[in-house]
Amino acid sequence: MKKYGMMCSGLLLCFSLSAQEVQLKELSTGKRTSMRGLSVVDDSVAWVSGSNGHVGKTIDGGKTWQWTQPLGYEKLDFRDIEAFNDQKALLLNAGSPAYLLLTEDGGKSWKEVYRNTDSLIFYDGMDFWNEQQGIAFGDPIDGKMPLLFTEDGGHHWRNISDQLKQPMKEGEAGFAASGTSIRTGPKGNVWIATGGTVSQIYHSADFGRNWRIYSCPILQGEPSTGPFSIAFYNERQGVVVGGNYLKDKENQNNVLLTFDGGKSWEKPQTPVSGYRSAVEFIDPGYVVATGSSGTDISADGGRNWKSVSSHNFNAVRKAKKGKLILMTGPRGEIYQLVLK
């Protein structure tokens, strides 16, 4: 959505969550950049991206970071990044013109694989089912959601917007808060969460060929409200978080659970503590949600949440293969979340 608008190394914050200890370990202050893009490949490799064209990579679990700015794209706000290994990653910026950039040499060089110069284009996020097939979505143009699809690992992108037949509502749009308002799942499943004047969940079970739309009864009705992030542990169990980013300490109806793949949603017994811009399943029980007013963790699949930090973060992601959990913030912070 278009309107969404140096600490000491080694800082360690510890909290108790039932029998589990939660630690927030500072890894890097990185660059003076707001980082919303985050992709954790495994316990060693992770990539981050943010404003002013900054891109960071670690190959040692976050101990050290290598930084770059793709030449010619230094002013872009890269709000989403998808990494496949220590050599290959894709960048997606917010705003117009819209670009997708690909590196296959560890960030030394970047190739422009997609460009859209429409003055109204604004992509909110992307996700991949595997190393070849991926999808991206954006805010509506003339009531239609822009959708891109790749089946060759991001080298080429095809416009599949016409495959979503239903028009979006007036004032409905996505949020490019952490790149996680779109999520892919097994067997071609993909979910997209939209907000603003109305909140809806767009679901496809066949790689974006056909779509169903479900109502999402989260806080909505204003441009600053709705679901900012969605996550699924499997085809049925999911969670959505958000709220009102202009009132980030309020926690009125800003987290919901689904157990039928997004068709219906229910409130948890104990909600998160405020507006949240990212949510991630650690396992079927543990779920973490974070945002500008802090971080909450659930130990029972999202039914009850406990605040573990008031630190401002934008994104949280767990390793695709491994246990590493990273969090990024608006001033270049990179933290590791550790459950013991």
Side-chain angles (χ1 to χ4, degrees):
M1 184 172 283
K2 300 173 182 64
K3 293 185 179 179
Y4 187 83
M6 181 90 51
M7 301 174 67
C8 296
S9 179
L11 180 62
L12 188 66
L13 305 175
C14 299
F15 308 88
S16 176
L17 187 69
S18 300
Q20 193 109 26
E21 184 183 52
V22 181
Q23 295 181 349
L24 282 176
K25 179 181 179 182
E26 184 184 14
L27 300 179
S28 171
T29 54
K31 300 292 182 180
R32 292 288 185 172
T33 179
S34 177
M35 289 187 292
R36 298 186 183 277
L38 174 60
S39 185
V40 186
V41 179
D42 53 36
D43 288 341
S44 299
V45 178
W47 295 66
V48 297
S49 65
S51 57
N52 302 313
H54 287 298
V55 182
K57 181 185 72 172
T58 181
I59 57 173
D60 56 12
K63 296 181 178 67
T64 60
W65 293 84
Q66 305 166 25
W67 294 93
T68 186
Q69 290 173 289
L71 186 63
Y73 304 91
E74 295 89 348
K75 295 183 179 181
L76 297 185
D77 187 359
F78 293 118
R79 296 206 181 177
D80 201 2
I81 187 168
E82 183 74 24
F84 302 89
N85 49 51
D86 65 337
Q87 296 297 303
K88 182 181 178 181
L90 278 157
L91 287 170
L92 177 66
N93 73 296
S96 176
Y99 301 95
L100 275 157
L101 305 181
L102 171 68
T103 182
E104 294 183 293
D105 58 8
K108 296 175 183 176
S109 64
W110 295 84
K111 176 184 178 182
E112 184 181 302
V113 293
Y114 175 81
R115 178 193 296 190
N116 190 322
T117 59
D118 191 315
S119 62
L120 298 178
I121 197 67
F122 191 100
Y123 283 101
D124 295 293
M126 62 178 167
D127 204 8
F128 274 70
W129 288 276
N130 48 56
E131 293 191 4
Q132 297 300 315
Q133 295 169 296
I135 188 171
F137 90 104
D139 286 355
I141 298 178
D142 296 328
K144 181 174 287 291
M145 179 188 292
L147 290 168
L148 295 175
F149 180 79
T150 181
E151 52 190 349
D152 61 2
H155 287 87
H156 300 89
W157 293 82
R158 178 163 49 94
N159 186 344
I160 62 167
S161 304
D162 288 341
Q163 294 179 182
L164 177 54
K165 308 299 182 183
Q166 304 91 327
M168 297 178 71
K169 304 293 186 180
E170 184 71 24
E172 177 189 2
F175 289 105
S178 63
T180 57
S181 53
I182 180 171
R183 292 289 187 135
T184 56
K187 302 177 182 178
N189 280 284
V190 58
W191 296 266
I192 297 173
T194 62
T197 56
V198 63
S199 172
Q200 300 193 102
I201 304 297
Y202 294 75
H203 174 232
S204 172
D206 55 7
F207 298 95
R209 296 184 186 91
N210 297 280
W211 295 85
R212 292 185 177 181
I213 303 177
Y214 310 122
S215 176
C216 181
I218 199 170
L219 180 68
Q220 57 195 275
E222 301 178 22
S224 57
T225 61
F228 284 69
S229 179
I230 189 169
F232 277 83
Y233 181 74
N234 53 37
E235 295 176 48
R236 300 184 63 83
Q237 182 184 359
V239 60
V240 65
V241 299
N244 187 341
Y245 73 82
L246 296 179
K247 301 176 181 179
D248 66 352
K249 290 182 172 58
E250 294 186 2
N251 67 343
Q252 174 190 355
N253 189 26
N254 61 344
V255 54
L256 295 173
L257 311 175
T258 182
F259 299 96
D260 57 11
K263 297 177 183 178
S264 63
W265 297 85
E266 61 186 64
K267 292 183 180 181
Q269 295 176 3
T270 307
V272 294
S273 303
Y275 155 78
R276 297 293 176 256
S277 58
V279 63
E280 185 87 333
F281 275 94
I282 307 305
D283 56 36
Y286 278 89
V287 196
V288 57
T290 196
S292 56
S293 62
T295 299
D296 299 274
I297 291 183
S298 171
D300 57 5
R303 293 175 177 83
N304 293 279
W305 296 83
K306 181 176 181 180
S307 174
V308 297
S309 172
S310 60
H311 194 89
N312 184 345
F313 289 108
N314 290 326
V316 56
R317 297 302 296 266
K318 177 183 179 293
K320 300 174 186 179
K321 298 179 180 179
K323 298 181 179 180
L324 181 64
I325 307 166
L326 296 183
M327 307 173 73
T328 57
R331 294 178 296 276
E333 309 97 316
I334 304 174
Y335 277 66
Q336 180 182 0
L337 189 150
V338 181
L339 295 175
K340 291 188 175 181

